[in-house]
């Protein structure tokens, strides 16, 4: 199984937000932006959203919904993630670079 590192996530079921403290070196403004993104996603769409880094340092959105959750908006989920990937592209790319350099020990590309 592929190893992943969770950055943050939110659950509409538990109405909770989670932030991985391994990333506490991130500026407060970025941590707040991540919280806003995750919480708004679960408020709009439902389910559980986690943002995870894969082995190569790519940031992925992972979505789960309880079986039988008829309020979960599958189409809205894909649209919201696409919106985040477009509007927050610079933030997401910066987070990937941060992870690759500080966690994976890779060199900063020119």
């Amino acid at each position: 199984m592929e190893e992943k590192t969770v950055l943050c996530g939110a659950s509409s079921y538990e109405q909770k937000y989670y932030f991985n403290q391994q990333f506490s070196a991130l500026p407060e403004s970025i941590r707040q932006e991540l919280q806003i993104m995750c919480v708004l996603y679960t408020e709009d769409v439902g389910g559980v959203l986690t943002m995870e880094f894969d082995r190569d340092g790519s940031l992925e959105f992972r979505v789960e919904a309880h079986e039988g959750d008829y309020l979960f908006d599958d189409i809205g989920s894909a649209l919201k993630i696409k919106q985040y990937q477009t509007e927050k592209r610079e933030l997401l790319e910066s987070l990937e670079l941060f992870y690759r350099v500080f966690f994976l020990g890779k060199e900063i590309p020119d």
Side-chain angles (χ1 to χ4, degrees):
M1 184 159 180
E2 201 171 304
E3 197 174 307
K4 302 206 182 234
T5 303
V6 174
L7 170 61
C8 59
S11 170
S12 66
Y13 306 116
E14 298 177 20
Q15 295 186 342
K16 290 190 178 183
Y17 170 75
Y18 167 78
F19 179 78
N20 186 340
Q21 289 304 310
Q22 290 180 317
F23 297 94
S24 60
L26 289 172
E28 180 65 26
S29 60
I30 292 176
R31 291 186 298 203
Q32 288 176 355
E33 185 70 23
L34 291 169
Q35 182 174 4
I36 290 167
M37 287 171 59
C38 289
V39 171
L40 281 179
Y41 172 92
T42 57
E43 288 293 314
D44 290 347
V45 178
V48 178
L49 172 71
T50 54
M51 297 174 70
E52 306 173 341
F53 292 102
D54 66 14
R55 305 175 84 158
D56 298 322
S58 295
L59 187 58
E60 301 174 349
F61 291 84
R62 188 174 65 124
V63 178
E64 293 181 28
H66 289 166
E67 190 174 324
D69 181 356
Y70 301 110
L71 298 176
F72 178 74
D73 184 358
D74 204 21
I75 295 170
S77 171
L79 292 173
K80 191 70 154 175
I81 289 171
K82 186 70 169 168
Q83 175 189 354
Y84 284 163
Q85 290 171 330
T86 302
E87 293 177 0
K88 307 291 185 183
R89 183 178 57 85
E90 190 174 317
L91 170 65
L92 300 174
E93 288 174 354
S94 297
L95 288 167
E96 288 177 340
L97 180 61
F98 175 85
Y99 184 77
R100 288 178 179 133
V101 170
F102 292 102
F103 285 81
L104 301 180
K106 294 187 177 182
E107 295 291 321
I108 297 175
D110 291 333

